[in-house]
Amino acid sequence: MLYLRRKVDLFLKEWLEKPERKPLIIKGPRQVGKTESVRQFAEAFYENTIYINFVEEPKYKVIIADGYSAEDIIKNISRLDPGKHFVPGKTLIFFDELQEFPEIAAALKFFYTDGRFDVICSGSMLGINYRRIESNSVGYKADYTMFSLDFEEFLWAKGYDETVILDMLEHMRLAAPFNQAEMLAFSAMFLDYSILGGMPAVVREYVERGTFEGSLDTQRQLLADYREDVRKYAEGMDQARILNVFERIAPQLARENKKFQISKVASGARFKDYRGCVEWLRDAGMINVCYCLNFPELPLRGNYDEEKYKLYFADSGLLVAMLDEEAQEDLRANRNLGVYKGALYENIVGEAFVKSGLELYYYKRENSSLEEDFFVRTASELVPVEVKSTNGRAKSLRTLIESDKYADIHWGIKLTGGNIGMEDRIRTFPLFCAFLLKRYLKQESPSP
């Protein structure tokens, strides 16, 4: 099976080089490639791997019967399977599907102090009960959050290397437009990525076949799996309400006002009845939440209304999979995004920001048409970001930059379907550059 190179690969190698490495927990939503990446790493760097999957082999939940010490757990694993060999200094113990047995996290402290074996834990849906895992292993573990492929990893899958990525960043830094060949190639791949999303199973099929064949079926199966996860893991909560919220994200994104409204989820729905549903979906890694700022100024944290937000899918392929049959055909055959064009591009920019470590905020001024899609920051400035499918006027962006009311804002960014440009303190970049924005901002702290 084709292995898709991932950013976690480098993280794992760096973790391995640490002389006193702590047990590692890799969390993230289902089907984003966690198990595959760890197994690939284990095969390359360890003589011996002990793989325990708590979903496939629940019998291993008894390994803590005698306590949490490394010695007791190793002894009990060996009793269940004498064929598993523990070679000190050369063995990786990989506990998979940790969400099924979070109790094993209490053993990480003892494996760390024991020091003979490396330990990696992995699981989906961990966010929803991570406090429990955290309390069992605080101070004795490292963490890594995995997502579906971002556009950079998608480019890797298509055969591009770091030099291409660095060249894209240099174009942004110098405000140098891409040539026609570059624009055609990157725009076409970005549209494919927008339609497919970044789930490894979907991307792998696309790379191997060179077409969209089978991609919609795979996306819809992933959606079915996500819905099943809600039914399985939403303990003590109203599963129907969580699913109602999930199902209404796509239709609400298609509206002009993309703010998510609980009142539109079901007849008579009230915010207090749905409290916790959005947070559950966010913690499960299924959605991203973009909060409305109280006012566009620094700092961003704490300066937002937790009851006003836009909801985006954590993987844009899931949004695409929820469109009806006619829209699917139009999208794949004619590459026409129709009513969802703005919504899809906003979703994918939000997704790119989260995957690169940025938080999501927007602003809508009360009783006004002033609304800005996203905000990012440098060390000392607030930078508004507008997303447009075409290179049209950016009225709100211009107002934020030119008005004296917004002291932290001196320039802005427009992400569009067009090329790189700069005009009146607005820097324009192609949408396919969204994944590089955090790196660009690190280089561009001073205002232009």
Side-chain angles (χ1 to χ4, degrees), residues 69-236:
S69 75
E71 195 66 52
D72 287 336
I73 288 172
I74 289 163
K75 196 184 300 173
N76 282 324
I77 292 172
S78 298
R79 282 173 183 155
L80 289 167
D81 183 356
K84 284 182 165 44
H85 301 295
F86 294 83
V87 183
K90 298 179 179 179
T91 299
L92 174 69
I93 302 172
F94 180 17
F95 295 118
D96 204 1
E97 302 292 1
L98 182 62
Q99 77 281 357
E100 284 293 313
F101 191 53
E103 290 81 1
I104 196 65
L108 298 184
K109 171 183 177 180
F110 301 100
F111 274 106
Y112 176 63
T113 52
D114 179 272
R116 289 177 294 160
F117 309 102
D118 289 345
V119 179
I120 296 179
C121 301
S122 167
S124 57
M125 317 302 290
L126 288 184
I128 57 175
N129 57 8
Y130 202 64
R131 287 184 194 87
R132 186 169 152 204
I133 292 166
E134 184 79 43
S135 64
N136 282 340
S137 56
V138 65
Y140 295 96
K141 62 165 179 58
D143 290 285
Y144 185 88
T145 301
M146 237 180 125
F147 305 97
S148 61
L149 282 83
D150 67 6
F151 188 53
E152 183 171 10
E153 291 170 314
F154 184 80
L155 289 173
W156 293 348
K158 293 287 288 177
Y160 292 88
D161 61 18
E162 275 76 11
T163 57
V164 174
I165 311 300
L166 290 172
D167 186 62
M168 290 172 78
L169 187 56
E170 189 70 356
H171 273 278
M172 294 171 72
R173 194 179 69 80
L174 298 174
F178 294 100
N179 66 37
Q180 189 177 6
E182 290 169 328
M183 278 301 292
L184 283 171
F186 293 138
S187 297
M189 281 185 290
F190 183 72
L191 185 53
D192 284 356
Y193 174 70
S194 301
I195 294 168
L196 292 161
M199 290 299 193
V202 179
V203 175
R204 187 178 289 111
E205 284 179 351
Y206 161 80
V207 171
E208 290 177 337
R209 295 174 179 174
T211 69
F212 290 130
E213 182 190 347
S215 61
L216 180 56
D217 291 338
T218 306
Q219 286 172 326
R220 286 186 170 158
Q221 182 56 54
L222 287 165
L223 271 178
D225 292 342
Y226 272 56
R227 292 178 180 115
E228 185 55 38
D229 278 340
V230 174
R231 297 183 187 100
K232 184 175 181 181
Y233 293 107
E235 298 171 3

